Amino acid sequence: MPSDREIAGKRLTGHGSTKGFPGRRNAPFGVLLLALACLCLPDAQALAQSETAEEKGLRIARETSARNDGFGDFTAGLTMVLRDRHGRESIRKMRFKVLEVPGDGDKSLFVFDQPRAVRGTALLTHGHINTQDDQWLYLPALKRVKRINASRRSGSFMGSEFSYEDMSSPEVEEYTYKYLRDETCGKLTCTVIEQVPLDEESGYSRKVLWQDTGELRTWKMELYDRKGAHLKTLTFAGYRQYLDRYWRATEQTMVNHLTGASTVLKWTGFRFRTDLDHSEFTQTALRRVR
C-alpha cells in the first residue's frame, strides 16, 4: 500500500485545480493500488482502523488531490446567475482558463464578456503551496490592475455570493482535516470531512465537505464564518468526466444563509490540454484581455 509520504510526494510533483471550484485532483492508479494492497496485506484493514480521524481526513484529502494531477490545462465558458432574496436575477458571462503548475498552485484567469458594463474585467490568480495566493483584478474602465490584498479576499467577487477566496484553487497543505462520518447522499455514500484553514486571514473558520466514496467528487460544502456561524452552502451538480479521468461539475450553487441571496455558476465547453502558456497568466496579459 502506498504510504502517506508517497502519496504526498505524488501530490507535490504536479497538481491541478478549484478553491471551492470546480472539484479538484483525481489520481487514476491510486485506488487500484490501494485495493490490491488490501488484498495482499492481511493487516491492511487493521491499519486503516487504527487511523485517527485527523489522519483519515488528511489521507482522503491527499487522495482527492492526487486523482486530479496531470490535467495540464483546461478552458471553459461560464454563466453567472445572481439572485437576490426576492428572486430577481442578473446574468453575467465569462471565460475561464487554468494552467497546472507542478510544484506550486495553479494559475487561473476569469474574463467577463457580458454585460457591457463589466466587459473586459478580469481576475488573475496565482495559487501557492503554504503561502497566500496572489490575486489581481483588472478594471478596464480605469485601465488599472488592482492587487487583492489578503485582508480583502473574503469580500464579494463582482457582487456574487462567491468571495475572492472562493475563486482560488485549494491546496492540501492549506488546511487541517478531520474525518467526521459516512452518510447517504442521494443514491451515493458520502464521506463527511471537516477542513480548518491554516491561513489566519481566511474568511472561514472551517468548511465541511461531502464527497462520494467512489470517485471522491465533492457534492456539498458548508462554509462557516470566523465566528463559527454557518454562513454559506455550496452545492455541485451535473458532473461529467473528461479524458476518462477528470471529473468536473457543470453547475455550482452558492447560497448565503445570512442574506438569502444566491449565485449559480453554469460551466460549459470544457476543453483540456489546449497548450496554454505561462505568458497568458501575467499582469501584463491582463491589460490585453479582450
Side-chain angles (χ1 to χ4, degrees), residues 41-61:
L41 300 177
D43 59 342
Q45 185 175 359
L47 289 173
Q49 290 176 345
S50 69
E51 285 182 310
T52 66
E54 290 75 15
E55 289 170 340
K56 184 172 182 178
L58 177 58
R59 174 174 59 78
I60 293 172

PDB file of all heavy atoms in Angstrom, residues 41-61:
ATOM      1  N   LEU A  41      -2.255  -7.676   1.818  1.00  0.00           N
ATOM      2  CA  LEU A  41      -1.779  -7.497   3.182  1.00  0.00           C
ATOM      3  C   LEU A  41      -2.876  -7.815   4.176  1.00  0.00           C
ATOM      4  O   LEU A  41      -3.873  -7.107   4.251  1.00  0.00           O
ATOM      5  CB  LEU A  41      -1.285  -6.059   3.385  1.00  0.00           C
ATOM      6  CG  LEU A  41      -0.125  -5.615   2.467  1.00  0.00           C
ATOM      7  CD1 LEU A  41       0.202  -4.164   2.718  1.00  0.00           C
ATOM      8  CD2 LEU A  41       1.104  -6.491   2.715  1.00  0.00           C
ATOM      9  N   PRO A  42      -2.730  -8.858   4.980  1.00  0.00           N
ATOM     10  CA  PRO A  42      -3.786  -9.267   5.898  1.00  0.00           C
ATOM     11  C   PRO A  42      -4.070  -8.234   6.975  1.00  0.00           C
ATOM     12  O   PRO A  42      -5.153  -8.205   7.533  1.00  0.00           O
ATOM     13  CB  PRO A  42      -3.246 -10.569   6.494  1.00  0.00           C
ATOM     14  CG  PRO A  42      -1.757 -10.473   6.327  1.00  0.00           C
ATOM     15  CD  PRO A  42      -1.562  -9.763   5.023  1.00  0.00           C
ATOM     16  N   ASP A  43      -3.085  -7.371   7.285  1.00  0.00           N
ATOM     17  CA  ASP A  43      -3.302  -6.410   8.357  1.00  0.00           C
ATOM     18  C   ASP A  43      -3.688  -5.025   7.834  1.00  0.00           C
ATOM     19  O   ASP A  43      -3.701  -4.060   8.582  1.00  0.00           O
ATOM     20  CB  ASP A  43      -2.050  -6.279   9.219  1.00  0.00           C
ATOM     21  CG  ASP A  43      -0.843  -5.823   8.411  1.00  0.00           C
ATOM     22  OD1 ASP A  43      -0.907  -5.940   7.166  1.00  0.00           O
ATOM     23  OD2 ASP A  43       0.141  -5.362   9.017  1.00  0.00           O
ATOM     24  N   ALA A  44      -3.979  -4.894   6.514  1.00  0.00           N
ATOM     25  CA  ALA A  44      -4.305  -3.593   5.942  1.00  0.00           C
ATOM     26  C   ALA A  44      -5.552  -2.999   6.585  1.00  0.00           C
ATOM     27  O   ALA A  44      -5.617  -1.810   6.890  1.00  0.00           O
ATOM     28  CB  ALA A  44      -4.500  -3.718   4.427  1.00  0.00           C
ATOM     29  N   GLN A  45      -6.573  -3.854   6.787  1.00  0.00           N
ATOM     30  CA  GLN A  45      -7.806  -3.363   7.387  1.00  0.00           C
ATOM     31  C   GLN A  45      -7.557  -2.888   8.815  1.00  0.00           C
ATOM     32  O   GLN A  45      -8.076  -1.860   9.239  1.00  0.00           O
ATOM     33  CB  GLN A  45      -8.868  -4.455   7.365  1.00  0.00           C
ATOM     34  CG  GLN A  45     -10.228  -3.950   7.875  1.00  0.00           C
ATOM     35  CD  GLN A  45     -11.301  -5.024   7.720  1.00  0.00           C
ATOM     36  OE1 GLN A  45     -11.036  -6.115   7.233  1.00  0.00           O
ATOM     37  NE2 GLN A  45     -12.518  -4.688   8.113  1.00  0.00           N
ATOM     38  N   ALA A  46      -6.727  -3.624   9.532  1.00  0.00           N
ATOM     39  CA  ALA A  46      -6.414  -3.233  10.908  1.00  0.00           C
ATOM     40  C   ALA A  46      -5.689  -1.894  10.935  1.00  0.00           C
ATOM     41  O   ALA A  46      -5.938  -1.048  11.797  1.00  0.00           O
ATOM     42  CB  ALA A  46      -5.563  -4.301  11.580  1.00  0.00           C
ATOM     43  N   LEU A  47      -4.777  -1.691   9.928  1.00  0.00           N
ATOM     44  CA  LEU A  47      -4.056  -0.427   9.867  1.00  0.00           C
ATOM     45  C   LEU A  47      -5.019   0.731   9.608  1.00  0.00           C
ATOM     46  O   LEU A  47      -4.898   1.804  10.196  1.00  0.00           O
ATOM     47  CB  LEU A  47      -2.995  -0.485   8.758  1.00  0.00           C
ATOM     48  CG  LEU A  47      -1.778  -1.376   9.033  1.00  0.00           C
ATOM     49  CD1 LEU A  47      -0.911  -1.468   7.784  1.00  0.00           C
ATOM     50  CD2 LEU A  47      -0.987  -0.832  10.208  1.00  0.00           C
ATOM     51  N   ALA A  48      -5.984   0.510   8.689  1.00  0.00           N
ATOM     52  CA  ALA A  48      -6.956   1.559   8.380  1.00  0.00           C
ATOM     53  C   ALA A  48      -7.796   1.890   9.606  1.00  0.00           C
ATOM     54  O   ALA A  48      -8.101   3.046   9.879  1.00  0.00           O
ATOM     55  CB  ALA A  48      -7.856   1.117   7.220  1.00  0.00           C
ATOM     56  N   GLN A  49      -8.153   0.843  10.364  1.00  0.00           N
ATOM     57  CA  GLN A  49      -8.975   1.068  11.545  1.00  0.00           C
ATOM     58  C   GLN A  49      -8.208   1.788  12.652  1.00  0.00           C
ATOM     59  O   GLN A  49      -8.802   2.405  13.520  1.00  0.00           O
ATOM     60  CB  GLN A  49      -9.495  -0.276  12.062  1.00  0.00           C
ATOM     61  CG  GLN A  49     -10.531  -0.908  11.138  1.00  0.00           C
ATOM     62  CD  GLN A  49     -10.963  -2.280  11.613  1.00  0.00           C
ATOM     63  OE1 GLN A  49     -10.311  -2.892  12.461  1.00  0.00           O
ATOM     64  NE2 GLN A  49     -12.074  -2.764  11.072  1.00  0.00           N
ATOM     65  N   SER A  50      -6.861   1.712  12.590  1.00  0.00           N
ATOM     66  CA  SER A  50      -6.067   2.364  13.627  1.00  0.00           C
ATOM     67  C   SER A  50      -5.846   3.846  13.360  1.00  0.00           C
ATOM     68  O   SER A  50      -5.284   4.551  14.180  1.00  0.00           O
ATOM     69  CB  SER A  50      -4.701   1.669  13.746  1.00  0.00           C
ATOM     70  OG  SER A  50      -3.914   1.922  12.595  1.00  0.00           O
ATOM     71  N   GLU A  51      -6.260   4.317  12.189  1.00  0.00           N
ATOM     72  CA  GLU A  51      -6.121   5.736  11.863  1.00  0.00           C
ATOM     73  C   GLU A  51      -6.941   6.600  12.822  1.00  0.00           C
ATOM     74  O   GLU A  51      -8.056   6.240  13.198  1.00  0.00           O
ATOM     75  CB  GLU A  51      -6.635   6.018  10.450  1.00  0.00           C
ATOM     76  CG  GLU A  51      -5.751   5.580   9.328  1.00  0.00           C
ATOM     77  CD  GLU A  51      -6.358   5.962   7.986  1.00  0.00           C
ATOM     78  OE1 GLU A  51      -7.544   5.653   7.771  1.00  0.00           O
ATOM     79  OE2 GLU A  51      -5.649   6.553   7.170  1.00  0.00           O
ATOM     80  N   THR A  52      -6.390   7.750  13.152  1.00  0.00           N
ATOM     81  CA  THR A  52      -7.186   8.733  13.876  1.00  0.00           C
ATOM     82  C   THR A  52      -8.091   9.441  12.873  1.00  0.00           C
ATOM     83  O   THR A  52      -7.894   9.339  11.655  1.00  0.00           O
ATOM     84  CB  THR A  52      -6.293   9.769  14.561  1.00  0.00           C
ATOM     85  OG1 THR A  52      -5.615  10.538  13.543  1.00  0.00           O
ATOM     86  CG2 THR A  52      -5.277   9.100  15.480  1.00  0.00           C
ATOM     87  N   ALA A  53      -9.084  10.179  13.370  1.00  0.00           N
ATOM     88  CA  ALA A  53      -9.982  10.937  12.490  1.00  0.00           C
ATOM     89  C   ALA A  53      -9.199  11.961  11.677  1.00  0.00           C
ATOM     90  O   ALA A  53      -9.501  12.208  10.502  1.00  0.00           O
ATOM     91  CB  ALA A  53     -11.059  11.622  13.327  1.00  0.00           C
ATOM     92  N   GLU A  54      -8.164  12.546  12.290  1.00  0.00           N
ATOM     93  CA  GLU A  54      -7.343  13.539  11.592  1.00  0.00           C
ATOM     94  C   GLU A  54      -6.512  12.882  10.489  1.00  0.00           C
ATOM     95  O   GLU A  54      -6.397  13.423   9.371  1.00  0.00           O
ATOM     96  CB  GLU A  54      -6.428  14.250  12.593  1.00  0.00           C
ATOM     97  CG  GLU A  54      -7.136  15.187  13.558  1.00  0.00           C
ATOM     98  CD  GLU A  54      -7.898  14.460  14.660  1.00  0.00           C
ATOM     99  OE1 GLU A  54      -7.648  13.238  14.860  1.00  0.00           O
ATOM    100  OE2 GLU A  54      -8.738  15.101  15.304  1.00  0.00           O
ATOM    101  N   GLU A  55      -5.942  11.715  10.778  1.00  0.00           N
ATOM    102  CA  GLU A  55      -5.135  11.014   9.781  1.00  0.00           C
ATOM    103  C   GLU A  55      -5.988  10.557   8.606  1.00  0.00           C
ATOM    104  O   GLU A  55      -5.575  10.664   7.444  1.00  0.00           O
ATOM    105  CB  GLU A  55      -4.442   9.817  10.426  1.00  0.00           C
ATOM    106  CG  GLU A  55      -3.325  10.188  11.390  1.00  0.00           C
ATOM    107  CD  GLU A  55      -2.824   9.013  12.201  1.00  0.00           C
ATOM    108  OE1 GLU A  55      -3.559   7.995  12.313  1.00  0.00           O
ATOM    109  OE2 GLU A  55      -1.702   9.099  12.728  1.00  0.00           O
ATOM    110  N   LYS A  56      -7.187  10.084   8.884  1.00  0.00           N
ATOM    111  CA  LYS A  56      -8.068   9.636   7.810  1.00  0.00           C
ATOM    112  C   LYS A  56      -8.512  10.804   6.951  1.00  0.00           C
ATOM    113  O   LYS A  56      -8.555  10.709   5.715  1.00  0.00           O
ATOM    114  CB  LYS A  56      -9.292   8.910   8.390  1.00  0.00           C
ATOM    115  CG  LYS A  56     -10.208   8.316   7.318  1.00  0.00           C
ATOM    116  CD  LYS A  56     -11.281   7.443   7.930  1.00  0.00           C
ATOM    117  CE  LYS A  56     -12.161   6.809   6.845  1.00  0.00           C
ATOM    118  NZ  LYS A  56     -13.188   5.900   7.408  1.00  0.00           N
ATOM    119  N   GLY A  57      -8.831  11.919   7.573  1.00  0.00           N
ATOM    120  CA  GLY A  57      -9.234  13.104   6.816  1.00  0.00           C
ATOM    121  C   GLY A  57      -8.126  13.572   5.895  1.00  0.00           C
ATOM    122  O   GLY A  57      -8.371  13.910   4.723  1.00  0.00           O
ATOM    123  N   LEU A  58      -6.888  13.593   6.396  1.00  0.00           N
ATOM    124  CA  LEU A  58      -5.747  14.017   5.584  1.00  0.00           C
ATOM    125  C   LEU A  58      -5.487  13.033   4.455  1.00  0.00           C
ATOM    126  O   LEU A  58      -5.201  13.433   3.317  1.00  0.00           O
ATOM    127  CB  LEU A  58      -4.508  14.149   6.469  1.00  0.00           C
ATOM    128  CG  LEU A  58      -3.195  14.512   5.758  1.00  0.00           C
ATOM    129  CD1 LEU A  58      -3.330  15.834   5.008  1.00  0.00           C
ATOM    130  CD2 LEU A  58      -2.046  14.567   6.756  1.00  0.00           C
ATOM    131  N   ARG A  59      -5.593  11.738   4.746  1.00  0.00           N
ATOM    132  CA  ARG A  59      -5.368  10.730   3.698  1.00  0.00           C
ATOM    133  C   ARG A  59      -6.360  10.899   2.550  1.00  0.00           C
ATOM    134  O   ARG A  59      -5.977  10.843   1.370  1.00  0.00           O
ATOM    135  CB  ARG A  59      -5.475   9.321   4.284  1.00  0.00           C
ATOM    136  CG  ARG A  59      -5.409   8.209   3.228  1.00  0.00           C
ATOM    137  CD  ARG A  59      -5.381   6.835   3.844  1.00  0.00           C
ATOM    138  NE  ARG A  59      -6.534   6.554   4.674  1.00  0.00           N
ATOM    139  CZ  ARG A  59      -7.734   6.215   4.207  1.00  0.00           C
ATOM    140  NH1 ARG A  59      -7.944   6.134   2.891  1.00  0.00           N
ATOM    141  NH2 ARG A  59      -8.733   5.944   5.036  1.00  0.00           N
ATOM    142  N   ILE A  60      -7.617  11.113   2.864  1.00  0.00           N
ATOM    143  CA  ILE A  60      -8.635  11.283   1.822  1.00  0.00           C
ATOM    144  C   ILE A  60      -8.390  12.565   1.038  1.00  0.00           C
ATOM    145  O   ILE A  60      -8.546  12.603  -0.188  1.00  0.00           O
ATOM    146  CB  ILE A  60     -10.040  11.279   2.450  1.00  0.00           C
ATOM    147  CG1 ILE A  60     -10.352   9.888   3.019  1.00  0.00           C
ATOM    148  CG2 ILE A  60     -11.096  11.679   1.425  1.00  0.00           C
ATOM    149  CD1 ILE A  60     -11.625   9.816   3.830  1.00  0.00           C
ATOM    150  N   ALA A  61      -7.973  13.637   1.724  1.00  0.00           N
ATOM    151  CA  ALA A  61      -7.667  14.893   1.039  1.00  0.00           C
ATOM    152  C   ALA A  61      -6.515  14.712   0.058  1.00  0.00           C
ATOM    153  O   ALA A  61      -6.542  15.220  -1.070  1.00  0.00           O
ATOM    154  CB  ALA A  61      -7.332  15.980   2.057  1.00  0.00           C
TER     155      ALA A  61
END
